[in-house]
Amino acid sequence: MKNSVYDYSSYKAYLRDLIRGNPRFGHGFKTKIANALNCQTAYLSQVLNRDANFSLEQAEELNHFIQHSKDEGHFFLLLVQLERAGTQRLKNRLKAEMQEIRTKRDTLKERVEKTESLSVENQMRYYSRWYFSALHILCTIQNYRTKQKMAEALHLPLNVVVEALEFLQSVGLVKLESGEYLPG
């Protein structure tokens, strides 16, 4: 699997990789997704492998199921809209918005990589919650480098862990490689 939803141009490819990246090559995970969407697994297969598409409402349910952060969820919805778009003009608009988001993320990554220390604001945020440093430390332990394992170990909701990891990534304290979080 690529690193994140931002690396994809198709929500279907993203979901296929997400499913394959689960234990036992995603066996049972497709059923969980179908249950979350209140649909049959056959319909899910049609969406993933054919011309059918999820509705925006189903895509939002997937955001909740996958526990995307707010920004990841927005990008995922753009991917769904792109594949549902009926005109080239709308496709171009959505592609441009997605590219703008990617560019902003890359610019932020470059800025963060160039700085050697955290700003006062970022220091205040880092030290404001115990779990920022706990997540930072868990990145050094091989068995706890996925967001799911971290959430289980710290007894935190996955969405809290995802948002905290996004912050840690944005300031360069952790990096995401092949689905695992490593010290930055």
Side-chain angles (χ1 to χ4, degrees):
M1 182 173 166
K2 298 177 185 178
N3 289 337
S4 74
V5 68
Y6 302 104
D7 296 327
Y8 289 86
S9 305
S10 163
Y11 79 92
K12 294 177 182 188
Y14 169 68
L15 290 174
R16 284 192 298 265
D17 283 355
L18 184 68
I19 291 167
R20 281 189 216 116
N22 274 272
R24 299 184 318 179
F25 209 62
H27 182 72
F29 192 63
K30 276 175 96 170
T31 304
K32 289 180 182 177
I33 291 173
N35 289 340
L37 296 177
N38 200 22
C39 70
Q40 299 293 321
T41 53
Y43 175 70
L44 178 60
S45 293
Q46 284 181 342
V47 169
L48 295 177
N49 301 312
R50 298 216 173 104
D51 291 334
N53 283 298
F54 288 130
S55 67
L56 292 178
E57 291 80 8
Q58 289 171 317
E60 184 58 26
E61 286 303 315
L62 269 173
N63 273 332
H64 179 72
F65 176 78
I66 298 169
Q67 297 192 322
H68 283 143
S69 68
K70 179 183 172 190
D71 292 338
E72 288 172 330
H74 175 70
F75 195 85
F76 183 74
L77 288 174
L78 288 173
L79 287 173
V80 173
Q81 290 176 62
L82 177 64
E83 294 209 27
R84 291 180 57 86
T87 65
Q88 192 58 45
R89 182 172 289 167
L90 179 57
K91 287 180 183 187
N92 290 342
R93 174 185 291 274
L94 294 167
K95 285 178 184 178
E97 185 175 349
M98 290 165 49
Q99 187 54 46
E100 188 177 314
I101 291 169
R102 286 181 181 125
T103 301
K104 284 180 183 175
R105 285 182 55 82
D106 289 343
T107 302
L108 179 62
K109 283 182 189 175
E110 286 176 22
R111 259 193 2 241
V112 167
E113 288 173 3
K114 290 179 184 176
T115 61
E116 301 252 340
S117 62
L118 294 177
S119 68
V120 173
E121 295 85 17
N122 287 335
Q123 287 179 33
M124 289 174 58
R125 183 166 181 202
Y126 181 84
Y127 292 113
S128 69
R129 300 279 188 263
W130 63 270
Y131 52 80
F132 287 121
S133 57
L135 290 167
H136 192 196
I137 291 167
L138 283 178
C139 290
T140 66
I141 305 170
Q142 188 165 359
N143 292 339
Y144 295 99
R145 290 185 174 159
T146 66
K147 55 188 173 187
Q148 291 83 6
K149 291 285 187 182
M150 291 179 189
E152 290 170 15
L154 299 176
H155 304 289
L156 289 171
L158 189 56
N159 63 325
V160 170
V161 170
V162 168
E163 293 204 15
L165 287 169
E166 279 191 349
F167 165 70
L168 293 173
Q169 267 186 285
S170 74
V171 296
L173 293 175
V174 301
K175 58 186 174 182
L176 181 62
E177 290 182 6
S178 302
E180 290 191 341
Y181 290 90
L182 304 171

